[in-house]
Amino acid sequence: MVTKNVPGYYFGSDSTARLSDIIKERLKNDDFAIFFVDIFFKGKDLINKLNLPNVEHLFYVDTVNEPTTDLVDEFVSIIREDKNILPSTVVGIGGGSSLDVAKAVSNLLTNGGKAEDYQGWDMLKKTGIYKIGVPTISGTGAESSRTCVMMNKKKKLKLGMNSKFTLFDCLILDPDLTKTVPREQYFYTGLDTYIHCIESLNGSFRHPMADSYSNEALRLSRGVFAGSDDMMSDLNREKLMVASYFGGTAIANSFVGIVHPLSAGLSVVLGLHHCIANCLVMNKMEEYYPQEHQEFQNFLLKNNIVLPQGITNGLSDELFNDLYDSTIIHEKPLTNALGKDFKKILSKEKVIEIFKQI
Ligand code: NAD
Ligand code: ZN
């Protein structure tokens, strides 16, 4: 399988100022653009400052819950009902949630059907609408990965449209945009890159390209979270944006390990967001990733981050069973981390014991 990457990006402070011209160049005759913007920016200066064309087609993405297949279907039907032609450009401005919604809507507008029809690997048949991604928080790598993650509530499944067609066509990577991210959120999301990379570098399925991207992303992340400057200094926000981009690029040729499956359990069963769930699991990984677990403790201390505790206190046996089921279905990453007998090492008792400590 050929590996594709995002074909182009603008990088640097104030590069968002280019967005308006980039879109306008794409608009001919009746063409129009649609926007998916993180709800944080509602009523903020950014939108006016960007001087966007077609702001009448701007949708705010609520991030209280992570994106669902139903949400994506709803956006697509609004756009289809509103106009009888398709937009020429889809723009996502925000974190992993808003970027993923933009990617999914773009794919669905040309491929037809429902979002859930494409949850899986290489199910899309056609390229989507031209997509521009503008990340406003760094870490998930959603800006450079070939997937867009959605929760399917009916099927109790969290899975993306993994496809070369899901890649953005163009990115604007402007570290100025991450200045306003709350510190805890900056830490949790930033750590997604670190966790992905340590999981893939500790696994048995390896790829020299992915390893190189992961190693560089790790080097940058360590500088951000363990260096002498504040993790949110101008330079560190720039570094984390690059680390996130590399992390997302590595995802195409790598697998995660134990943290992401357990974290998916917390998201599916208890509705926890991806990045905080990762950190809660990483905090209990001394047995599986001892060195990295210690490093993670240092990151918490250095940046004054106190993780919430007692998340699973008082849960019923049924919910602990659900947590186990929604962890253990992730066979690929668990095999990557522990080999094909992973169920013997990560027994049901063991998984539940880890969850009980969270
Ligand atoms: P997010 O998009 O859910 O946003 C997190 C919070 O940060 C929200 O409250 C949001 O409003 C706020 N925020 C974002 N930018 C801000 C800014 N500049 N200033 C102030 N607040 C800001 O967070 P995320 O952690 O980036 O993304 C998580 C989502 O990404 C999950 O749905 C996860 O499944 C998905 N994900 C996708 C991929 C992929 O490759 N596509 C990879 C990992 C995770
Ligand atoms: Zn992740």
Side-chain angles (χ1 to χ4, degrees), residues 139-140 192-193 195-196 199 251 256 260 274-275 278:
T140 64
D192 196 21
T193 294
I195 291 172
H196 185 280
E199 287 186 282
I251 293 176
V256 286
H260 271 77
H274 178 72
C275 298
N278 278 347

Coordinates of all heavy atoms in Angstrom, one line a residue, residues 139-140 192-193 195-196 199 251 256 260 274-275 278, ligand 2:
G139 N -1.5 18.0 19.2 CA -1.2 16.7 19.9 C -1.9 15.5 19.3 O -1.2 14.5 19.2
T140 N -3.1 15.6 18.8 CA -3.7 14.4 18.3 C -3.1 14.0 16.9 O -3.2 12.8 16.6 CB -5.2 14.6 18.0 OG1 -5.4 15.6 17.0 CG2 -6.0 15.0 19.3
D192 N -0.9 13.3 23.8 CA -1.4 12.2 22.8 C -0.2 11.9 21.9 O 0.0 10.7 21.5 CB -2.6 12.7 22.1 CG -3.4 11.6 21.4 OD1 -3.2 10.4 21.8 OD2 -4.1 11.9 20.4
T193 N 0.5 12.9 21.4 CA 1.6 12.6 20.5 C 2.6 11.7 21.2 O 3.1 10.7 20.7 CB 2.3 13.9 20.1 OG1 1.4 14.7 19.3 CG2 3.6 13.7 19.3
I195 N 2.3 9.8 23.8 CA 1.9 8.4 24.1 C 1.8 7.6 22.8 O 2.2 6.4 22.8 CB 0.5 8.5 24.8 CG1 0.7 9.1 26.2 CG2 -0.1 7.1 24.9 CD1 -0.6 9.4 27.0
H196 N 1.3 8.1 21.8 CA 1.3 7.4 20.5 C 2.7 6.9 20.2 O 2.9 5.7 19.8 CB 0.7 8.2 19.4 CG 0.6 7.4 18.1 ND1 1.6 7.2 17.3 CD2 -0.5 6.8 17.6 CE1 1.2 6.4 16.3 NE2 -0.1 6.2 16.5
E199 N 4.2 4.2 22.4 CA 3.5 2.9 22.2 C 4.0 2.3 20.9 O 4.3 1.1 20.9 CB 2.0 3.1 22.1 CG 1.3 3.4 23.4 CD -0.2 3.5 23.2 OE1 -0.7 4.5 22.7 OE2 -0.8 2.5 23.6
I251 N 1.3 7.9 12.3 CA 0.2 7.0 12.6 C 0.0 6.1 11.3 O -0.4 4.9 11.5 CB -1.1 7.8 12.9 CG1 -0.9 8.5 14.3 CG2 -2.3 6.9 12.9 CD1 -2.1 9.3 14.7
V256 N -0.5 1.7 17.8 CA -0.4 2.0 19.2 C -0.2 0.7 20.0 O -0.1 -0.4 19.5 CB -1.6 2.9 19.7 CG1 -1.4 4.3 19.1 CG2 -2.9 2.3 19.3
H260 N -3.8 3.1 24.4 CA -5.0 3.5 23.5 C -6.2 2.6 23.7 O -7.3 3.1 23.8 CB -4.6 3.7 22.1 CG -4.1 5.1 21.8 ND1 -2.8 5.6 22.2 CD2 -4.7 6.2 21.2 CE1 -2.7 6.9 21.8 NE2 -3.8 7.3 21.2
H274 N -10.8 11.6 24.6 CA -9.6 10.8 24.3 C -8.3 11.1 25.0 O -7.7 10.2 25.6 CB -9.4 10.9 22.8 CG -8.2 10.2 22.2 ND1 -8.2 8.8 22.1 CD2 -7.0 10.6 21.8 CE1 -7.0 8.5 21.6 NE2 -6.2 9.5 21.4
C275 N -8.0 12.4 25.1 CA -6.6 12.8 25.5 C -6.5 12.7 27.1 O -5.5 12.2 27.6 CB -6.3 14.1 25.0 SG -6.2 14.1 23.2
N278 N -6.3 9.0 27.9 CA -4.9 8.5 27.6 C -4.1 8.7 28.9 O -3.3 7.9 29.3 CB -4.3 9.2 26.5 CG -4.6 8.7 25.1 OD1 -5.2 7.6 25.0 ND2 -4.3 9.4 24.1
Ligands
ZN2 ZN -4.4 9.2 20.5

